[in-house]
Amino acid sequence: EDKVVQSPLSLVVHEGDTVTLNCSYEVTNFRSLLWYKQEKKAPTFLFMLTSSGIEKKSGRLSSILDKKELFSILNITATQTGDSAVYLCAPNPPRGGSNYKLTFGKGTLLTVNP
Amino acid sequence: DVKVTQSSRYLVKRTGEKVFLECVQDMDHENMFWYRQDPGLGLRLIYFSYDVKMKEKGDIPEGYSVSREKKERFSLILESASTNQTSMYLCASRPEAIYEQYFGPGTRLTVT
């Protein structure tokens, strides 16, 4: 069965710190990996990573995928209190067949204190 | 912008009641999903649908059923609500398997 493990499960930092969130997976075949941020309501999409070794950036957030070692990291630099959220990762299945579902990790709860 | 809406943000029901949770998306997406989210357990897939009238069980379908009569609407049904179904329910949709999912705002269901 496919498995997605995120670490750490929770993290408390101060504003201005840099954090690295990890996502490792045991998915035999996937097209891409997705990262989401979830505050008090629904998850919102952050990144979709399709190629190994190519960093994607959005402001203070960046992410990279290693398909060989089966993991991804999400970096947040100069954290702000607004970054406090649960961060979720999910390998995206290949197109075709009935394998349409995403398997989400349990998430990392990030708390940024002022 | 893609919009996924859910019929209620908060819902309180009694044990044994039949509960309908509705999800509507306005972007003509083929695929729609129902998840529940509980502390320590993350997001778990209940059912998904890849076309009108087509459905497949997710990881935790017991106690739930679904209906997809129209492309834009995906309903989750609790035939006889139980207290262990108290949870946050999230609906999502996406156009095809290669794209990200878009989530609705969630329904927090309490069964007493």
Side-chain angles (χ1 to χ4, degrees):
Chain A
E1 186 178 312
D2 293 341
K3 192 174 174 183
V4 183
V5 177
Q6 291 188 245
S7 63
L9 287 180
S10 67
L11 189 57
V12 181
V13 300
H14 290 289
E15 267 191 320
D17 288 350
T18 293
V19 297
T20 298
L21 310 182
N22 302 291
C23 174
S24 65
Y25 50 89
E26 296 173 9
V27 176
T28 52
N29 186 21
F30 74 102
R31 176 177 288 271
S32 58
L33 186 133
L34 308 179
W35 280 97
Y36 285 85
K37 176 184 181 182
Q38 185 177 22
E39 297 172 86
K40 290 191 177 175
K41 39 186 183 177
T44 52
F45 173 74
L46 290 175
F47 293 111
M48 180 162 65
L49 304 164
T50 53
S51 301
S52 200
I54 297 176
E55 186 182 54
K56 283 211 168 179
K57 290 196 77 166
S58 176
R60 296 176 294 102
L61 277 67
S62 63
S63 185
I64 197 161
L65 176 66
D66 187 326
K67 284 189 175 181
K68 185 180 175 185
E69 299 298 328
L70 304 183
F71 76 89
S72 176
I73 59 171
L74 175 67
N75 280 316
I76 309 175
T77 58
T79 52
Q80 301 171 359
T81 54
D83 295 327
S84 296
V86 174
Y87 290 84
L88 300 163
C89 72
N92 201 13
R95 192 172 184 170
S98 64
N99 190 21
Y100 295 86
K101 62 179 187 176
L102 292 178
T103 300
F104 283 89
K106 292 183 181 177
T108 293
L109 172 61
L110 173 66
T111 304
V112 182
N113 290 324
Chain B
D1 278 353
V2 174
K3 196 167 181 185
V4 181
T5 57
Q6 294 183 228
S7 49
S8 307
R9 293 296 303 276
Y10 300 94
L11 208 53
V12 180
K13 294 290 182 181
R14 292 191 182 276
T15 300
E17 278 192 81
K18 191 168 185 175
V19 182
F20 292 87
L21 302 182
E22 293 216 315
C23 175
V24 177
Q25 48 95 2
D26 66 356
M27 286 300 291
D28 203 37
H29 288 174
E30 281 77 21
N31 305 319
M32 296 187 75
F33 306 82
W34 274 107
Y35 296 87
R36 63 178 283 176
Q37 188 173 32
D38 303 285
L41 297 175
L43 273 168
R44 293 181 292 166
L45 182 66
I46 304 170
Y47 267 98
F48 64 101
S49 167
Y50 49 91
D51 203 349
V52 176
K53 297 191 188 292
M54 306 302 286
K55 59 187 180 186
E56 281 203 25
K57 293 180 181 179
D59 300 316
I60 50 163
E62 298 78 19
Y64 303 94
S65 62
V66 289
S67 171
R68 189 144 179 227
E69 296 298 317
K70 292 185 178 181
K71 194 174 188 179
E72 67 270 18
R73 190 180 297 269
F74 191 35
S75 302
L76 180 70
I77 303 154
L78 287 66
E79 295 288 342
S80 177
S82 63
T83 54
N84 63 11
Q85 292 178 309
T86 292
S87 186
M88 168 68 88
Y89 289 87
L90 289 161
C91 173
S93 75
R94 68 177 175 186
E96 291 182 41
I98 60 171
Y99 296 106
E100 69 270 21
Q101 290 186 354
Y102 297 88
F103 284 87
T107 295
R108 187 165 292 283
L109 172 67
T110 302
V111 183
T112 61

